[in-house]
């Protein structure tokens, strides 16, 4: 299957600071690719590049085989690239329902969006009138995911979904992500702590200091390498 | 969200239809500057036209000055249109979104549907809609009875989690 999202030799920088030094990533429809690596490796930056939020210095961003380098985030979002950023991507002062209602800009009706969201995450229906900031961390991530799904994404970019959540909740969230991928969405997810992510990933890449040090199947070797990376030599 | 093929294929098709603006030409910043330049040029030309017409008694030259003056107005108008288009739209978009959202809220309230509000830091307006209206039958709010059937569980739910 052709890749829906592909980064080819992407170099990018924040001002003078070079962050990515030739990153290659491919994600096919229905595939989950996990991008792992320590703090400051450039994982978030990679996602920002894929969403068109951060410009590339050199290299290419291909979507559906077409070179989309330089396209605006807005164009990419319209086409179906959805980035769920690090932290809780919700409006804390708005209710769950209002958070979802805001997604009607995508052209879907409020009813459709709520149906998608509440079917996948029934707990959100119970919390519909609660301010999003008072939800538990896991529920907030569910809401963020639901908001993402409301855009009917073809490519889903997830940044540290697990941040600050209990392992059980993370596992459940990732089950949902796997389910989303099964519907043909290309998922690129970023994680520091790999276990849960590797559980659903079809493919994994380890990013260290802006370079993909290793990629392959999320097998034992990669796991061993990761633990060495975090516990051993790095930093 | 139908089958695998459909969404991916639609994605590819939509991308094909998408005109990727050349990042250089698509820059609102550039257009904005052009707008400002044109406005300034309009003023300068206007003054020039005035000076030209002032220094002569020849009606022919004065006619030229009038033409220059009209051109200056045109440039000024185009310049301000460009400027507004590329500077204010971002702001206005949010403003309009806010307006339309508030309008729809208002419409819902008038239709008598329940709007749930959390007991937040800001005190709820006393007369309008008490936050716990659904669970207190003695509520004074007018016209909120209709849609509140499903409310109690939600409200108590939210309240419990909040407390
Ligand atoms: N806005 C910015 N301005 C300048 N430097 C930045 C900016 N954002 C990130 N960086 C730098 O780029 C590098 C990569 O950052 P990035 O956020 O991509 O890392 P990360 O892999 O997502 O890390 P983490 O696991 O901590 O989220 C870091 O060294 C960081 O300091
Ligand atoms: Mg990050």
């Amino acid at each position: 299957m052709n890749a829906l999202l592909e980064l080819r030799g992407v170099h990018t920088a924040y001002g003078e600071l070079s962050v990515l030094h030739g990153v290659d990533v491919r994600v096919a429809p229905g595939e989950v690719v996990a991008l792992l690596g320590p703090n400051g490796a450039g994982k978030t930056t990679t996602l920002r590049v894929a969403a068109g939020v951060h410009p590339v210095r050199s290299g290419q961003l291909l979507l559906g085989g077409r070179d989309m380098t330089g396209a605006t985030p807005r164009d990419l979002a319209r086409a179906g690239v959805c980035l769920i950023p690090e932290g809780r991507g919700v409006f804390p002062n708005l209710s769950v329902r209002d958070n979802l209602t805001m997604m009607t800009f995508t052209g879907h009706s409020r009813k459709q969006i709520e149906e998608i969201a509440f079917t996948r995450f029934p707990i959100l229906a119970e919390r519909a009138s609660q301010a999003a900031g008072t939800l538990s961390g896991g529920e907030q991530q569910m809401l963020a995911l639901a908001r993402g799904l409301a855009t009917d994404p073809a490519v889903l970019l997830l940044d540290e979904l697990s941040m600050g959540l209990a392992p059980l909740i993370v596992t459940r969230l990732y089950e949902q992500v796997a389910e989303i991928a099964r519907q043909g969405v290309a998922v690129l997810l970023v994680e520091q702590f790999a276990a849960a992510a590797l559980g659903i990933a079809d493919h994994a890449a380890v990013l260290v200091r802006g370079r993909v040090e290793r990629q392959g199947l999320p097998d034992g070797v990669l796991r061993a390498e990761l633990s060495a990376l975090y516990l051993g030599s790095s930093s | 969200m139908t089958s695998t093929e459909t969404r991916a294929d639609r994605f590819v098709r939509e991308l094909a239809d998408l005109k990727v603006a050349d990042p250089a030409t698509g820059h609102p910043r550039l257009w904005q500057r052009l707008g400002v330049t044109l406005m300034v040029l309009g003023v300068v030309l206007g003054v020039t036209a005035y000076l030209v017409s002032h220094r002569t008694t020849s009606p022919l030259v004065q006619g030229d000055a009038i033409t220059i003056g009209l051109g200056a107005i045109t440039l000024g108008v185009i310049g301000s249109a460009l400027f507004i288009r590329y500077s204010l739209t971002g702001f206005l978009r949010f403003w309009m979104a806010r307006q339309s959202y508030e309008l729809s809220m208002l419409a819902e309230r008038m239709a008598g549907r329940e709007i749930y509000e959390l007991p937040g830091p800001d005190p709820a307006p006393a007369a309008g809609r008490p936050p716990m209206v659904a669970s207190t039958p003695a509520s004074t709010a007018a016209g909120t009875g209709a849609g509140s059937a499903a409310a109690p569980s939600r409200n108590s739910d939210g309240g419990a989690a909040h407390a």
Side-chain angles (χ1 to χ4, degrees):
Chain A
M1 181 64 91
N2 287 329
L4 219 47
L5 166 71
E6 182 172 1
L7 301 184
R8 250 188 223 165
V10 166
H11 290 251
T12 193
Y14 292 99
E16 296 293 296
L17 178 73
S18 240
V19 174
L20 299 183
H21 316 276
V23 169
D24 296 291
V25 178
R26 288 170 54 94
V27 194
E31 193 183 26
V32 179
V33 173
L35 189 62
L36 311 163
N39 283 118
K43 306 181 298 289
T44 299
T45 309
T46 306
L47 291 190
R48 285 164 56 86
V49 165
V53 180
H54 194 76
V56 302
R57 281 273 159 95
S58 68
Q60 283 178 310
L61 164 63
L62 294 114
L63 291 166
R66 187 178 172 208
D67 187 357
M68 297 297 290
T69 320
T72 62
R74 181 168 148 193
D75 285 340
L76 296 187
R78 281 229 174 119
V81 178
C82 173
L83 170 65
I84 297 183
E86 222 166 347
R88 313 273 179 251
V90 300
F91 292 92
N93 294 326
L94 296 183
S95 70
V96 169
R97 179 167 281 136
D98 287 348
N99 264 284
L100 292 172
T101 303
M102 288 189 77
M103 301 312 285
T104 50
F105 76 88
T106 56
H108 300 278
S109 77
R110 181 171 150 170
K111 238 196 188 134
Q112 287 171 313
I113 290 174
E114 286 187 0
E115 194 183 305
I116 295 172
F118 294 163
T119 316
R120 195 168 289 281
F121 305 108
I123 188 80
L124 292 181
E126 290 171 34
R127 302 274 187 269
S129 55
Q130 194 171 326
T134 65
L135 296 174
S136 76
E139 288 162 357
Q140 288 187 38
Q141 284 296 32
M142 287 178 202
L143 179 57
L145 260 180
R147 280 165 53 82
L149 287 183
T151 64
D152 188 14
V155 174
L156 190 59
L157 309 168
L158 300 172
D159 200 349
E160 304 219 16
L161 209 56
S162 69
M163 195 192 279
L165 301 180
L168 183 64
I169 309 279
V170 175
T171 308
R172 284 216 203 110
L173 275 172
Y174 275 125
E175 274 165 15
Q176 291 296 332
V177 172
E179 178 61 37
I180 291 163
R182 240 169 270 141
Q183 294 176 346
V185 179
V187 180
L188 176 59
L189 60 88
V190 152
E191 276 297 343
Q192 263 192 60
F193 296 103
L198 286 179
I200 63 158
D202 301 304
H203 199 86
V206 182
L207 192 70
V208 182
R209 286 185 221 94
R211 286 195 180 79
V212 176
E213 293 274 296
R214 195 194 150 122
Q215 44 184 321
L217 299 176
D219 55 10
V221 183
L222 196 54
R223 279 169 214 246
E225 187 157 324
L226 273 172
S227 55
L229 196 64
Y230 289 124
L231 304 175
S233 57
S234 88
S235 82
Chain B
M1 259 185 251
T2 43
S3 83
T4 302
E5 250 56 52
T6 330
R7 185 59 185 109
D9 288 348
R10 185 154 62 84
F11 181 61
V12 173
R13 180 170 50 75
E14 282 175 2
L15 284 170
D17 293 343
L18 199 71
K19 284 186 247 81
V20 180
D22 185 351
T25 56
H27 258 333
R29 193 67 73 70
L30 275 179
W31 285 106
Q32 216 170 307
R33 277 195 206 142
L34 182 65
V36 172
T37 316
L38 286 182
M39 283 193 278
V40 172
L41 203 63
V43 173
V44 171
L45 275 182
V47 172
T48 314
Y50 169 76
L51 291 178
V52 167
S53 67
H54 203 66
R55 283 191 199 141
T56 180
T57 51
S58 157
L60 286 180
V61 177
Q62 285 177 342
D64 287 348
I66 290 174
T67 314
I68 293 175
L70 287 176
I73 292 174
T74 314
L75 286 186
V77 170
I78 293 175
S80 48
L82 277 181
F83 181 76
I84 289 172
R85 162 72 180 80
Y86 287 100
S87 66
L88 290 182
T89 40
F91 168 74
L92 287 179
R93 227 195 309 270
F94 285 114
W95 180 77
M96 281 209 4
R98 180 82 214 172
Q99 288 293 312
S100 66
Y101 176 72
E102 274 175 1
L103 258 179
S104 71
M105 288 292 279
L106 188 71
E108 277 182 28
R109 203 175 306 163
M110 301 229 289
R113 262 183 275 173
E114 192 58 82
I115 291 164
Y116 307 111
E117 201 145 273
L118 262 186
D122 55 330
R129 49 202 154 84
M132 289 302 183
V133 63
S135 50
T136 48
S139 104
T140 51
T144 47
S148 55
S153 69
R154 289 183 177 167
N155 257 336
S156 57
D157 211 336
H162 195 59

